[in-house]
Amino acid sequence: MKKLSTFLLMIFSISSYAQEKTLAEKLGYSKEDRLLIIHADDIGMAHSENIATIDAIKNGVVNSTSIMMPCAWSTEVGELIKDMPGLDIGVHITLTNEWHTYKYAPIASKSEVPGLVGPDGFMYKDCASVAQNASPEEVEKEMRAQIEAAIKIGIKPTHLDSHMGCVFYGRPEYVASYIKLAEEYGIPAMLNQQIVDGVIKPNPELFKDLDVDNLILIDETAIASPQSYDTMGMENFYTELLNNLKPGVTVLLNHIAFNDAEMQAITTRFTHWHAKWRQDDYDFFTSQKARNLITANNIKLITWEEIGKKLK
Amino acid sequence: MKKLSTFLLMIFSISSYAQEKTLAEKLGYSKEDRLLIIHADDIGMAHSENIATIDAIKNGVVNSTSIMMPCAWSTEVGELIKDMPGLDIGVHITLTNEWHTYKYAPIASKSEVPGLVGPDGFMYKDCASVAQNASPEEVEKEMRAQIEAAIKIGIKPTHLDSHMGCVFYGRPEYVASYIKLAEEYGIPAMLNQQIVDGVIKPNPELFKDLDVDNLILIDETAIASPQSYDTMGMENFYTELLNNLKPGVTVLLNHIAFNDAEMQAITTRFTHWHAKWRQDDYDFFTSQKARNLITANNIKLITWEEIGKKLK
């Protein structure tokens, strides 16, 4: 088995990949500890997303985020975090532009990554189109451009993850590049929530060339699904989640913005992941109830930076 | 004198360029008629700008606009104007990204127009930097890309104009390309307000190679200045303007958006042309008072489409 990585890949509950010590133990905790990263995806995507996410970090329980560099508002994040030197912030590798009326293109020159540019001149709307059109070289070039752009606006990335999971969809080489870049920048790389959701099922070929025995696996990734939004509502979903958190390391992914005119326009015609959904996330993760649930359940908050430093 | 253009260039009151008939007469009006285009710049720049401008066209007295294609929200305009087939809408050629935290890059591939890309990966903030860095070939390529992008989202451009007047700043070849492209697409090209303001004084070389005798000249371009905003306020400024409109063709340039969170963030640290300024413009040009002033002063509203068609 070709050894592509000696560093980190965080994978949800692939039980066949046995580990001698649990991840919690490797991080210096007991295997009974409930360890949690409360992670807000999509900062940089919009002004509304930026100010709501920063507020939920400063005044709520969110303790990690990751940035979408190709979007018009990513530069604002560099300004907003100037007084937050220890901030846990990764690069949310973005290969798609899923919105109907709010657009962005790759950061790399379009002529150098033509496979990432759709017929409208912006990124494709879905991962399948990316997989169909973008070569592994193009994806690696764009991923690198996004990491470099983040560094240029003053971010010290603590991890990589993948918007809509597109890195894991279709071509095994995307994953290899993702892990390679994470190693190069000395940070962990996370697997995307869509796999957890079953929304996107990764190609079975995805990990065949990876040295899985040497990869670090996240025990669980948790995220609200459209069904949980529709049937339970956010507060009930997260309450149940925090009351039943399993021992080990969980990454709780959310999407925090305000239900305002900008976010409503960006998410136009979306029945989920929209402005109201993001406001509900903001409301819960800035509530006293969330804080109380963390205390009552003896949940220990950890960060990607901690994982990166301890497992380097 | 080299004949670069037999078509249209709209220039404010350069009296040495004599015309036998006035522009009003060429358009079929008397030379005593007060003809006015009420033009909202900057549509496409932001969601706030888009919905406010469309509203001011549908429910106010604004009757023309021009779009900033490189911005994240330009695509939304294509959707918003689907039910407005006769809309007067030009391409607001955009070579600068003047905002501090809201960013956009050229539409053309960055590697093909490197002179239009600043060190942060986006357009430069001011016209001087454009003139210093961008070759005439790069500017022509980007202008063409913006016109083509507008057509791609369903716009039938009625005219060209220039954001912040950068087309007129620095290199005479920019103006030549601008006129050439207007001819090619069969539409008029307008001179930018900054020249009128004296904010940017065009290079004296600018028109030396143009066949000025064959250019069509706008009689007056009117725009609120920072001084008029500070000392008179928008309502007083426009009231005085409409009560004292001279005979001939005037283009009244304004900037219409809502004083909301998005626009406040885009215009952060700007003391003029900001969210409040744009809301004041919206308020005046959707008021009954504006309508009454137009009627009382017997002002006839004309459009760029009319000029383009009659003078072709």
Side-chain angles (χ1 to χ4, degrees):
Chain A
M1 193 174 278
K2 195 179 161 196
K3 189 172 180 180
L4 271 182
S5 172
T6 55
F7 195 44
L8 301 174
L9 175 66
M10 309 300 161
I11 303 174
F12 162 65
S13 63
I14 301 176
S15 55
S16 62
Y17 299 167
Q19 290 176 307
E20 290 178 0
K21 271 185 169 182
T22 65
L23 178 56
E25 288 170 316
K26 288 181 184 173
L27 294 170
Y29 299 92
S30 88
K31 68 179 172 186
E32 295 310 314
D33 278 331
R34 292 177 185 81
L35 306 173
L36 183 65
I37 300 176
I38 303 181
H39 189 278
D41 290 5
D42 296 0
I43 198 169
M45 197 255 278
H47 173 65
S48 177
E49 196 95 26
N50 291 351
I51 50 168
T53 300
I54 294 294
D55 187 70
I57 292 170
K58 287 188 170 173
N59 303 309
V61 296
V62 171
N63 73 338
S64 187
T65 184
S66 61
I67 187 167
M68 295 174 70
M69 285 309 302
C71 306
W73 285 102
S74 56
T75 296
E76 188 187 46
V77 176
E79 292 216 357
L80 292 172
I81 67 168
K82 272 184 182 154
D83 63 344
M84 303 168 78
L87 179 65
D88 212 54
I89 180 167
V91 179
H92 200 49
I93 297 294
T94 303
L95 304 177
T96 44
N97 178 182
E98 66 272 36
W99 315 114
H100 300 299
T101 56
Y102 176 70
K103 307 307 287 178
Y104 33 92
I107 288 182
S109 190
K110 289 177 199 171
S111 61
E112 291 172 16
V113 293
L116 282 166
V117 182
D120 60 359
F122 306 104
M123 285 176 165
Y124 288 102
K125 284 190 174 174
D126 58 90
C127 299
S129 300
V130 173
Q132 211 163 25
N133 290 284
S135 73
E137 294 72 26
E138 290 173 312
V139 168
E140 182 168 324
K141 186 172 284 185
E142 178 60 18
M143 287 200 282
R144 187 183 298 278
Q146 292 182 14
I147 298 167
E148 286 297 318
I151 293 168
K152 197 179 266 181
I153 61 166
I155 287 171
K156 294 174 187 157
T158 50
H159 59 290
L160 298 185
D161 54 17
S162 168
H163 186 59
M164 293 170 60
C166 294
V167 165
F168 312 104
Y169 189 80
R171 303 207 195 179
E173 297 95 331
Y174 295 175
V175 181
S177 291
Y178 173 74
I179 294 168
K180 188 180 87 173
L181 285 168
E183 282 184 12
E184 195 179 316
Y185 288 91
I187 51 177
M190 196 186 81
L191 212 69
N192 184 285
Q193 70 267 21
Q194 305 301 85
I195 292 171
V196 180
D197 280 338
V199 174
I200 294 172
K201 297 192 189 304
N203 187 326
E205 297 287 291
L206 212 61
F207 304 107
K208 81 176 172 50
D209 288 335
L210 298 176
D211 181 8
V212 291
D213 293 341
N214 273 315
L215 296 176
I216 307 296
L217 311 180
I218 280 289
D219 296 303
E220 186 141 348
T221 309
I223 185 168
S225 67
Q227 199 194 352
S228 50
Y229 179 83
D230 291 342
T231 59
M232 302 176 71
M234 290 310 202
E235 186 180 330
N236 290 336
F237 173 77
Y238 292 125
T239 301
E240 194 159 301
L241 180 76
L242 293 173
N243 278 332
N244 295 283
L245 207 66
K246 290 179 199 149
V249 177
T250 298
V251 180
L252 194 173
L253 300 172
N254 56 46
H255 302 81
I256 289 182
F258 294 130
N259 186 11
D260 60 11
E262 180 199 16
M263 191 52 57
Q264 286 166 13
I266 289 175
T267 58
T268 187
R269 302 203 292 278
F270 274 67
T271 53
H272 297 95
W273 317 102
H274 48 30
K276 172 72 165 61
W277 172 303
R278 290 164 196 255
Q279 177 76 53
D280 286 356
D281 270 3
Y282 171 84
D283 291 344
F284 181 79
F285 290 103
T286 56
S287 69
Q288 188 57 45
K289 182 174 183 180
R291 214 176 287 277
N292 293 346
L293 283 165
I294 291 166
T295 309
N297 288 289
N298 195 23
I299 294 167
K300 294 185 167 71
L301 296 184
I302 64 167
T303 63
W304 278 110
E305 191 186 21
E306 180 179 344
I307 294 176
K309 280 187 175 163
K310 288 190 176 168
L311 298 181
K312 209 164 185 169
Chain B
M1 191 175 280
K2 194 179 161 197
K3 191 172 178 180
L4 271 182
S5 173
T6 56
F7 194 45
L8 303 172
L9 176 66
M10 309 299 159
I11 303 173
F12 163 65
S13 63
I14 300 176
S15 57
S16 62
Y17 299 166
Q19 291 177 305
E20 289 179 1
K21 271 186 169 182
T22 65
L23 177 55
E25 288 170 316
K26 288 181 183 173
L27 294 170
Y29 299 91
S30 90
K31 67 179 172 187
E32 296 310 315
D33 279 331
R34 293 176 184 81
L35 307 173
L36 184 64
I37 299 175
I38 303 181
H39 190 276
D41 290 6
D42 296 359
I43 198 169
M45 196 254 278
H47 173 66
S48 176
E49 196 94 27
N50 290 351
I51 50 169
T53 300
I54 294 295
D55 188 70
I57 293 170
K58 287 187 171 174
N59 303 309
V61 297
V62 172
N63 73 338
S64 187
T65 185
S66 60
I67 187 166
M68 295 174 71
M69 285 309 303
C71 305
W73 285 101
S74 56
T75 296
E76 187 186 47
V77 176
E79 292 216 359
L80 293 171
I81 68 169
K82 272 184 182 155
D83 62 344
M84 304 169 78
L87 179 66
D88 213 54
I89 180 166
V91 178
H92 199 49
I93 297 293
T94 302
L95 304 176
T96 45
N97 177 182
E98 66 273 36
W99 316 113
H100 300 299
T101 55
Y102 176 70
K103 308 307 287 178
Y104 33 92
I107 288 182
S109 189
K110 289 177 196 171
S111 60
E112 289 173 16
V113 294
L116 281 167
V117 182
D120 61 359
F122 306 104
M123 285 176 164
Y124 288 103
K125 283 189 174 174
D126 57 89
C127 299
S129 300
V130 173
Q132 213 162 23
N133 291 284
S135 73
E137 294 72 27
E138 289 172 313
V139 169
E140 183 168 323
K141 186 171 286 186
E142 177 61 18
M143 289 200 283
R144 187 184 297 278
Q146 292 182 14
I147 298 167
E148 286 297 318
I151 293 168
K152 197 180 268 183
I153 60 167
I155 288 171
K156 293 174 186 156
T158 51
H159 59 290
L160 297 185
D161 54 17
S162 168
H163 187 60
M164 293 170 61
C166 294
V167 165
F168 312 102
Y169 190 81
R171 303 205 194 181
E173 297 94 332
Y174 296 176
V175 181
S177 291
Y178 173 74
I179 294 167
K180 188 181 85 174
L181 285 169
E183 282 185 12
E184 194 179 317
Y185 287 91
I187 51 177
M190 195 185 80
L191 212 68
N192 184 284
Q193 71 266 23
Q194 304 299 86
I195 293 170
V196 179
D197 280 338
V199 174
I200 294 172
K201 297 191 189 304
N203 188 326
E205 298 287 291
L206 210 61
F207 304 107
K208 81 175 171 51
D209 289 334
L210 298 176
D211 182 8
V212 291
D213 293 341
N214 273 317
L215 296 175
I216 307 296
L217 310 179
I218 280 291
D219 296 302
E220 187 142 348
T221 309
I223 186 169
S225 68
Q227 199 193 354
S228 50
Y229 179 83
D230 292 341
T231 60
M232 302 176 70
M234 290 310 204
E235 184 178 332
N236 290 335
F237 173 77
Y238 292 125
T239 300
E240 195 159 300
L241 180 77
L242 293 173
N243 278 333
N244 294 283
L245 206 67
K246 290 177 199 152
V249 177
T250 298
V251 180
L252 194 173
L253 300 173
N254 56 45
H255 302 80
I256 289 182
F258 294 130
N259 186 11
D260 59 11
E262 179 199 16
M263 191 51 58
Q264 286 167 13
I266 289 176
T267 59
T268 187
R269 302 201 292 279
F270 274 67
T271 54
H272 298 95
W273 319 101
H274 47 30
K276 172 72 164 62
W277 173 303
R278 290 165 196 253
Q279 177 77 52
D280 286 358
D281 270 4
Y282 172 85
D283 290 345
F284 182 79
F285 290 103
T286 55
S287 69
Q288 187 57 45
K289 182 174 183 181
R291 215 177 285 278
N292 293 346
L293 283 163
I294 290 167
T295 309
N297 287 290
N298 196 23
I299 294 167
K300 294 184 168 72
L301 297 184
I302 63 168
T303 62
W304 279 111
E305 189 186 23
E306 179 179 345
I307 294 176
K309 280 188 176 162
K310 288 188 176 169
L311 298 180
K312 208 163 186 172

